[in-house]
Amino acid sequence: MILLKLAISSLYNRRASAFLTLFTIAVSVMLLLSIERVRVDAKSSFSNTISGTDLIVGARTGDIQLLLSSVFRIGHANNGVSWQSYQYIKQQRGVNWTIPLSLGDSHKGQAVLGTSADYFQHYKFAKKQQLRFSQGRAFAHLNEVVLGAQVAAKLGYSLGDSIVISHGMGNTSFHHHDDNPFTVVGILDATGTPVDKTLHIPLAAIELIHSGNHTSHEHEHEQHDDLTGEPKQITAFLVGFDSPLYTLQVRRNINQYKPEALLAIMPGVTLRELWEMLTIVEKILLLFSIVVVLVSLLGMLTTLLASLNQRRRELAILRSVGARPWHLFTLISIESLLITFLGCLVGCGLFYLLMSLATGYLQSNAGITITIAMLSSYELVLIGAIMAAGFIVGLIPATRAYFYSLSDGMSIKI
């Protein structure tokens, strides 16, 4: 207890250098915990993008390319699926529901998705959560559009606003369908998925605007049953089965489908494959944060060694009043442990502050839902490892203090 009080007093007397060392460790701890939390929650958000869907079917490309184009709206499919093939597979034994997807249009850089009303009933995300409306309802006429949460917030749209769809993806559009405006009738709750950045219109409206017909006047009376239509082809479609037992069998049949070159993927499996491709990024981020922690601990070592050289007389006086060499060893060890412990404590506080400030940004811009919760067991292990490393680093100046002699400390050097 006496040595602890002495260590605290000693650090207080050298509070400027001690605070800088402590702050460096705190920042490194904050960085390490933040990278780990974002990594875990990004993986979770990635996996939660689509849930409850047994198969995604599209033109034969690669598994990951089909997943990225149909679910994440990244890239585009070179070919589509014919309507005849879609209808044939839809009628297969065990199929409970299907959701047709038609991509290729945009609005001010945001993807436009043509689909059926079943999309709002069967599309699920994040452990089978259904889509919910923050305002309005699903489309019921061909000239109606439902906005994702981020589209509405970013572009400032509200119910009743009129918008024009453009042909082509991204910010560069090749043709604006000015003669076919859509009315906003619904805005979805935020999901943290690409749904937030998507405009949803009836599948039949896609075909009509591309054929040059008017959706706003001629077909305004069209009701729910006519919202799908019979397009020549669609980009892809989602499939849900009565039982998971049908999944592998139907998938094999689709992949061997002779009338058309099709590909059926299981989204959960493909998501895991995609994440495995990104493990190198995980490792680089973890290595970067570990290097920052090591640099901060080396900074603490440099500070302790530098101060130790100036404290020779102080240590010699302690020896003269009865302190044993192991007392000096313990004193320096306690000081390094205190700095590391306080650095970890402050670092945890900075970590929670950063996460609370960054949650909204990561949710809206990266689709990553950050969980602000107690430290996980792995994060506690990381903190324990930093504490252990701080203790080991502190043994170096402590060992030097142990071997300082009374005469060395009291001698006058000129």
Side-chain angles (χ1 to χ4, degrees):
M1 184 60 72
I2 295 175
L3 287 176
L4 178 61
K5 290 180 179 179
L6 193 60
I8 293 173
S9 299
S10 178
L11 288 175
Y12 181 76
N13 289 332
R14 295 179 289 109
R15 52 187 174 275
S17 60
F19 174 77
L20 287 175
T21 306
L22 183 152
F23 183 73
T24 305
I25 294 175
V27 170
S28 65
V29 169
M30 177 196 70
L31 182 62
L32 181 63
L33 291 178
S34 299
I35 289 175
E36 174 59 21
R37 183 63 61 91
V38 170
R39 182 189 70 84
V40 171
D41 287 344
K43 187 174 183 179
S44 175
S45 297
F46 216 66
S47 302
N48 289 339
T49 301
I50 185 168
S51 176
T53 295
D54 295 312
L55 289 179
I56 300 175
V57 183
R60 190 169 296 167
T61 51
D63 291 18
I64 292 175
Q65 183 180 350
L66 176 57
L67 178 74
L68 291 176
S69 62
S70 61
V71 175
F72 290 93
R73 324 281 192 254
I74 298 174
H76 62 277
N78 295 322
N79 297 307
V81 180
S82 70
W83 189 249
Q84 290 76 16
S85 296
Y86 166 70
Q87 289 292 338
Y88 174 78
I89 295 168
K90 180 181 179 180
Q91 295 166 7
Q92 295 302 298
R93 181 185 174 191
V95 174
N96 183 20
W97 54 264
T98 58
I99 300 174
L101 308 174
S102 182
L103 294 159
D105 293 307
S106 64
H107 175 72
K108 297 184 178 179
Q110 307 299 309
V112 171
L113 172 67
T115 187
S116 66
D118 290 335
Y119 177 87
F120 303 105
Q121 180 181 353
H122 294 295
Y123 187 92
K124 294 181 175 65
F125 67 99
K127 299 178 181 177
K128 298 187 177 180
Q129 290 187 47
Q130 279 192 306
L131 298 175
R132 295 182 179 86
F133 285 85
S134 61
Q135 299 178 49
R137 54 172 174 80
F139 48 66
H141 298 84
L142 291 178
N143 65 325
E144 295 179 342
V145 59
V146 173
L147 307 181
Q150 189 173 332
V151 174
K154 183 178 179 180
L155 302 179
Y157 288 136
S158 57
L159 298 182
D161 287 348
S162 181
I163 65 174
V164 173
I165 304 301
S166 305
H167 186 63
M169 298 295 289
N171 291 313
T172 303
S173 299
F174 303 105
H175 176 67
H176 300 291
H177 303 293
D178 299 304
D179 54 345
N180 292 283
F182 287 81
T183 303
V184 178
V185 296
I187 298 174
L188 295 168
D189 272 337
T191 64
T193 71
V195 172
D196 297 346
K197 304 177 183 179
T198 305
L199 296 86
H200 309 82
I201 64 174
L203 183 63
I206 293 282
E207 192 73 11
L208 287 169
I209 60 177
H210 288 169
S211 64
N213 291 326
H214 294 268
T215 64
S216 56
H217 301 295
E218 296 177 18
H219 301 273
E220 191 172 351
H221 65 280
E222 299 285 355
Q223 297 300 315
H224 176 85
D225 292 339
D226 301 312
L227 295 178
T228 304
E230 293 187 6
K232 293 178 181 178
Q233 68 173 17
I234 55 177
T235 305
F237 62 95
L238 312 181
V239 184
F241 295 104
D242 294 320
S243 168
L245 297 175
Y246 292 103
T247 305
L248 292 176
Q249 179 186 347
V250 176
R251 179 176 181 243
R252 184 173 63 252
N253 293 339
I254 293 173
N255 290 337
Q256 295 174 353
Y257 185 63
K258 291 184 179 179
E260 191 174 354
L262 298 179
L263 174 68
I265 63 171
M266 293 186 287
V269 175
T270 308
L271 276 169
R272 284 193 291 272
E273 291 176 1
L274 181 57
W275 194 258
E276 286 174 5
M277 293 176 60
L278 300 175
T279 51
I280 184 65
V281 179
E282 288 186 78
K283 292 176 181 177
I284 291 173
L285 288 174
L286 184 61
L287 180 62
F288 175 71
S289 56
I290 289 174
V291 168
V292 173
V293 171
L294 290 177
V295 168
S296 66
L297 291 175
L298 288 174
M300 181 180 73
L301 173 62
T302 303
T303 302
L304 288 174
L305 287 174
S307 64
L308 188 64
N309 219 26
Q310 301 167 1
R311 295 172 62 191
R312 279 183 148 176
R313 188 174 298 277
E314 173 193 336
L315 297 177
I317 292 172
L318 290 174
R319 289 286 302 275
S320 69
V321 297
R324 302 282 185 179
W326 68 267
H327 285 132
L328 304 182
F329 178 88
T330 306
L331 175 65
I332 304 300
S333 298
I334 290 174
E335 288 182 11
S336 62
L337 205 55
L338 272 174
I339 292 175
T340 308
F341 174 74
L342 292 174
C344 289
L345 206 60
V346 174
C348 288
L350 292 175
F351 159 69
Y352 280 110
L353 177 62
L354 178 64
M355 288 297 98
S356 62
L357 294 175
T359 296
Y361 178 82
L362 291 174
Q363 172 77 36
S364 60
N365 291 277
I368 300 174
T369 304
I370 298 296
T371 305
I372 301 179
M374 298 293 290
L375 295 178
S376 66
S377 55
Y378 181 68
E379 289 167 340
L380 290 173
V381 167
L382 291 176
I383 295 293
I386 294 173
M387 290 288 296
F391 175 74
I392 292 171
V393 165
L395 293 178
I396 298 173
T399 303
R400 290 192 64 177
Y402 182 88
F403 289 107
Y404 278 165
S405 65
L406 179 63
S407 58
D408 181 43
M410 295 296 289
S411 61
I412 300 174
K413 292 181 174 60
I414 302 175

